[in-house]
Amino acid sequence: TRDDPKAWRDCDVYMQSREVGVQVAEAFEDEFTHLKTSGIKPDKINFFEKSTNLDVARKAMETYMATGKMYKLLPSEKKAAGLLEDMNEELTIYKHMVDYGAFDLLDGSVTCETRILDKNSLSGPKNDITDELIRFVDGAREEILIQNSYITLTTRAEAALKRASARGVKLILLTNSPATSDSFPTESMMLVDWKRYLAEIPNARIFAFAGKRQLHAKVFVFDRKVAIVGTYNLDPLSEQVNSELVAVMKSPEFSAEVRSWIFTDIRNESKEYRLPSGTDKGFGPADFKPKNLWLLQFLSKMRWLRPLL
């Protein structure tokens, strides 16, 4: 973000473990080998050979990240001269990318119990993620943090969060706003749903990204002890349709680190949704005054779309 203030906010986790690698491989094989797949065949006719361009693009980026200098074409790569010129011009924008070569993926790492949870796409029966997330919500006693790009709570998820709130668990949800989201349908549902969430889940607080960056992270932290990072959104598509994968890490140290990231985003990137109270008019998605507000309002009336989001 030092070079691009509009860069998406995401979260990845690097795990060095044979056991975890085996679990991820099994999830991949389950989805892409055992379920319905189609083989990809080479084009019979290909007028534009792209392998040289791809190789030059790779070399240009690696050279810049490692040395801060621009890649110079080999005689055999002259066809990619136009591409390289455009790429080098773009690379000069990223002044801090040269630091990447010294980046240590394991610096500050922790050793902890880790488990991979898998969910098949619509064509498969496995849905471990949804069931386990509900168990974690039901097992929480103090605090649940959820950072998620798309929040359209399903019946199961909403019911679980209501149970947690009734137990006195503090709930904090951080998501996109109409100003940052790339999903009109999702934001159209939130345009209406946020008031019900706050009214019926009284221990919940909802924060929405308000700056130039779009949130893409899918992160959960339970009681500062367990952190979950993966691809799972809190919406019907993730729960019922998409193939998803998450890593569950039981570690107070890692959970504290992830928790700190979330609260940093809340302080620096977001605004809180508030129900009207007394002289406080409240604040919600419509107060971002998006240019497409009319479209959001129109889609919000099409409640039959909700299970498809």
Side-chain angles (χ1 to χ4, degrees):
T1 58
R2 291 179 293 177
D3 292 322
D4 184 1
K6 295 183 180 180
W8 285 19
R9 183 66 163 105
D10 215 330
C11 180
D12 300 309
V13 59
Y14 175 78
M15 296 169 287
Q16 190 175 74
S17 165
R18 178 175 177 79
E19 290 77 11
V20 170
V22 168
Q23 293 178 54
V24 174
E26 288 177 349
F28 181 90
E29 293 296 332
D30 189 41
E31 180 71 33
F32 293 99
T33 301
H34 302 150
L35 299 180
K36 183 178 180 180
T37 57
S38 300
I40 298 177
K41 299 178 180 179
D43 296 335
K44 294 182 178 180
I45 301 176
N46 192 342
F47 293 104
F48 304 100
E49 190 268 332
K50 297 292 185 181
S51 59
T52 300
N53 284 359
L54 290 172
D55 196 42
V56 167
R58 174 186 62 81
K59 291 177 180 177
M61 183 169 289
E62 289 180 350
T63 300
Y64 186 72
M65 288 192 298
T67 68
K69 298 179 181 180
M70 299 304 172
Y71 177 70
K72 295 182 179 180
L73 289 174
L74 298 174
S76 60
E77 299 170 334
K78 293 299 183 182
K79 291 181 180 180
L83 169 72
L84 183 63
E85 183 179 351
D86 293 341
M87 175 161 282
N88 282 342
E89 182 178 352
E90 182 178 356
L91 285 172
T92 58
I93 299 172
Y94 299 95
K95 307 295 185 184
H96 296 88
M97 189 181 288
V98 295
D99 298 336
Y100 185 80
F103 181 69
D104 182 1
L105 284 170
L106 292 177
D107 183 36
S109 63
V110 299
T111 300
C112 64
E113 296 179 61
T114 302
R115 180 185 173 193
I116 299 298
L117 297 179
D118 181 26
K119 178 193 173 297
N120 292 152
S121 60
L122 191 61
S123 56
K126 184 180 292 184
N127 192 355
D128 294 343
I129 299 177
T130 299
D131 292 342
E132 292 299 326
L133 276 176
I134 296 298
R135 290 190 180 98
F136 277 115
V137 172
D138 284 337
R141 292 295 176 265
E142 298 177 4
E143 179 187 80
I144 300 173
L145 303 184
I146 300 173
Q147 187 180 42
N148 211 273
S149 49
Y150 310 118
I151 293 181
T152 306
L153 295 179
T154 62
T155 301
R156 291 187 66 191
E158 187 170 347
L161 293 178
K162 287 179 180 178
R163 292 193 297 270
S165 179
R167 295 193 306 273
V169 177
K170 180 171 66 174
L171 306 170
I172 294 180
L173 288 78
L174 174 60
T175 188
N176 279 304
S177 71
T180 62
S181 179
D182 62 351
S183 174
F184 285 177
T186 299
E187 290 303 320
S188 71
M189 296 299 110
M190 183 62 91
L191 192 68
V192 175
D193 290 344
W194 74 276
K195 290 184 178 180
R196 187 183 79 255
Y197 294 159
L198 290 180
E200 298 182 4
I201 311 176
N203 276 9
R205 298 178 70 185
I206 302 174
F207 296 86
F209 260 42
K212 298 179 180 180
R213 297 208 289 167
Q214 179 176 332
L215 176 65
H216 197 248
K218 292 93 173 171
V219 180
F220 304 80
V221 182
F222 297 95
D223 287 341
R224 309 187 187 197
K225 297 176 182 177
V226 175
I228 299 178
V229 180
T231 66
Y232 190 95
N233 287 305
L234 277 179
D235 61 15
L237 276 180
S238 280
E239 182 183 287
Q240 301 164 19
V241 179
N242 291 346
S243 172
E244 309 285 2
L245 194 76
V246 302
V248 182
M249 288 142 289
K250 185 179 180 181
S251 167
E253 295 84 1
F254 184 69
S255 297
E257 185 176 357
V258 176
R259 186 177 184 274
S260 176
W261 298 340
I262 294 174
F263 277 104
T264 297
D265 285 344
I266 287 174
R267 287 192 302 270
N268 299 334
E269 305 269 3
S270 69
K271 292 186 178 180
E272 183 172 7
Y273 290 166
R274 307 184 315 275
L275 292 172
S277 177
T279 58
D280 184 358
K281 295 181 180 180
F283 185 88
D287 292 296
F288 283 96
K289 295 181 172 55
K291 295 180 180 179
N292 59 336
L293 181 59
W294 67 271
L295 178 58
L296 293 175
Q297 292 172 332
F298 174 74
L299 291 176
S300 70
K301 299 175 182 179
M302 304 173 70
R303 306 303 289 177
W304 55 271
L305 281 175
R306 203 170 186 281
L308 306 177
L309 303 180

